[in-house]
Amino acid sequence: MRPFEEIVVAHGPAVLRICRSLVGPVDAEDAWSETFLAALRAYPELDPGVPVEAWLVTIARNKAVDLHRARGRSPVPLAELPEAPQSALEPAGRDHELWDRLAGLPPKQLRCVVYHYIGGLRYAEIAEAVGGSEAAARRAAADGINALRRTYTTDETKAGASQ
Amino acid sequence: MIQTEPTHERLHRQLVSRAEEEGLLDLAYRTVGSPVGELLLVRSGTGLVRVAFESEDHDRVLGSLADRISPRILSSPRALDRVAFQLDQYFAGTRHEFTVEHDLGLVRGFQRTVLERLERIPWGQTESYSEVARDVGNPKAVRAVGTACAVNPIPLIVPCHRVLRSDGTTGNYRGGREAKRLLLALEGSR
């Protein structure tokens, strides 16, 4: 397993960007700290197949929800996910199949899907983070969602059970 | 492995403090420069658990500690200030004994017995592998003493460099023979 320090160095900046998007600049650093502390706690048990950055973004999203609740604000505004069930993209639970599917996406699609649908980044911000144009980021996210929808939501029983 | 952007340095430092408070920092590390090359220092909750030479590849050493002890590892220079300071004094020739808590948890059995015995060889003195074997009550285990020295997880602090071959030649060293010769010269034993 990689030392946690490597995880902080590799993904710290991206997670801070996500935190700014989820809770705004004032609370972003608190959200970042809560995210990495929770991640450090859970890290030894992390399934090696889980894509680390997607996992961190999911934790950040949960921490953002907690912060909003604590501040008595409205829920985290997020991009609407067309057609696919919203719960399918909240892999905070122990949905191993979804993690597997996510891990199977090409890296750029994975990042675009996770940054947009879980992290709430706009495509312009995603383009800044992953490189390339805004249109390319949008396309990669769409391709990723389509791939997920093909593989994941074909099992109606599972989709129903996770709602 | 430290970010250059000040925001990330601050966030990292805060993360280390929170992790310590909540008992989540299993291993803290830093590096220090020295006449025998850059040294990696790692401590557990108990004390100094590993000193590694550059030739061992610090990233590989940390990776192996992640598997053997815990992956909850963060860079924390502050946690190792005391060791770093004492090593500086040692290399400057003003310190002959280390007074830092250490943790030999990575070694067991006979090897551990040997390493504990080595701690009693004072600065500036040497023993042969066969003398150490005799001292630990197993005079035939000369090779095993050599092996124990070779796997010493905290060289310098546990002074395996003070053990020589019976014919007086230096013998092998985790940090290389050149480093061993330098340490012996520093201590005036060569």
Side-chain angles (χ1 to χ4, degrees), chain B residues 24-35:
Chain B
L24 292 174
L25 183 54
D26 294 337
L27 294 173
Y29 75 90
R30 72 173 285 172
T31 55
V32 287
S34 88

Side-chain angles (χ1 to χ4, degrees), chain B residues 2 9-22 25 27-32 41-44 48 74-86 100:
Chain B
I2 291 172
E9 278 180 22
R10 191 178 65 248
L11 285 173
H12 188 284
R13 205 174 47 248
Q14 288 165 356
L15 175 63
V16 170
S17 304
R18 293 274 313 270
E20 276 172 341
E21 279 165 29
E22 308 211 5
L25 183 54
L27 294 173
Y29 75 90
R30 72 173 285 172
T31 55
V32 287
L41 313 175
V42 189
R43 63 163 299 156
S44 68
L48 188 66
L74 287 171
S75 154
S76 174
R78 200 172 41 84
L80 289 138
D81 269 354
R82 193 177 150 88
V83 186
F85 181 65
Q86 293 199 6
V100 289

Side-chain angles (χ1 to χ4, degrees), chain A residues 81 84-91 95 98 152 159 162-163:
Chain A
L81 182 58
Q86 184 72 22
S87 62
L89 276 169
E90 287 181 1
D95 188 339
L98 181 55
Y152 183 73
S162 70
Q163 276 172 350

Side-chain angles (χ1 to χ4, degrees), chain A residues 2 6 13 17 23 27-28 30 47 52 60 80 103 118 136-137 156:
Chain A
R2 292 163 73 196
E6 285 184 25
R17 198 187 286 262
V23 298
D27 285 332
D30 276 353
D47 185 322
V52 172
E80 283 302 312
I118 307 175
E156 290 300 327

